[in-house]
Amino acid sequence: MRVLFFCLAVITLGLGTLGVFVPVLPTTPLVMLSAFLFGKSSERFHRWITSTKIYEKYAKDFVENRCMTLGRKVFLLALASVMLLFPLIMLDLVWKLVIVGVYLFMYYYFIFKIKTVPKERKD
C-alpha cells in the first residue's frame, strides 16, 4: 500500500508542479494531495515535500491556516484568469460554458472560502 501511495504522490506532485505553468491544473490542491500521499507512504518523504519551496510558496499557509495574503490571491486569480482566456476564446461552446463555470467557482472560492490575512503574518 505504501508503494501505491508513493507512486500517486509522485504523479500528483508532477501535476502540481506543471500546474504552476498551466493554470487549468490546480497547483495548491495537487501539492496538498501529494504531501498527504507522501505522508502516508513515508514520514521521510512527508518531511521532504513539506520543506520544498513549491509547498511553502503555494500550499503551506493554506494547509495550516486555510488562508492566503491578498497579494497571493490577486496574483493567482489574475494568472489563472489570463491563462483561461486562451481556451475560452478557442474552444467550442460547451467547453466555453465549462470554463465560465470554472471562472465562477474559482472567484467564489477565493473570495468567500479562503481567508485573507495581512502579508506580515508568519504563524
Side-chain angles (χ1 to χ4, degrees), residues 84 87-105:
L84 283 172
L88 185 65
I89 293 168
M90 301 181 106
L91 295 176
D92 295 332
L93 178 63
V94 174
W95 288 110
K96 287 181 181 185
L97 293 174
V98 169
I99 292 170
V100 168
V102 169
Y103 268 115
L104 293 173
F105 178 76

Side-chain angles (χ1 to χ4, degrees), residues 44-102:
R44 181 175 143 213
F45 286 112
H46 178 73
R47 282 193 309 272
W48 171 75
I49 191 69
T50 56
S51 70
T52 62
K53 288 183 180 186
I54 291 174
Y55 176 85
E56 288 188 12
K57 187 174 183 178
Y58 292 99
K60 186 175 182 178
D61 276 346
F62 186 76
V63 170
E64 292 177 0
N65 305 312
R66 304 288 292 178
C67 64
M68 288 183 188
T69 64
L70 181 60
R72 172 68 53 200
K73 284 173 129 178
V74 169
F75 173 76
L76 291 174
L77 281 172
L79 182 63
S81 296
V82 168
M83 294 304 285
L84 283 172
L85 283 176
F86 297 109
L88 185 65
I89 293 168
M90 301 181 106
L91 295 176
D92 295 332
L93 178 63
V94 174
W95 288 110
K96 287 181 181 185
L97 293 174
V98 169
I99 292 170
V100 168
V102 169

Side-chain angles (χ1 to χ4, degrees), residues 1 4 6 9 11 15 18-19 37 39-40 43 45 55 60 63 71 83 85 90 92 97 106 108-109 112 116 123:
M1 195 61 148
L4 176 64
F6 179 77
I11 291 168
L15 289 172
L18 185 61
L37 292 169
K40 290 292 185 182
E43 182 59 35
F45 286 112
Y55 176 85
K60 186 175 182 178
V63 170
M83 294 304 285
L85 283 176
M90 301 181 106
D92 295 332
L97 293 174
M106 178 176 65
Y108 165 77
Y109 193 80
F112 297 110
T116 304
D123 59 343

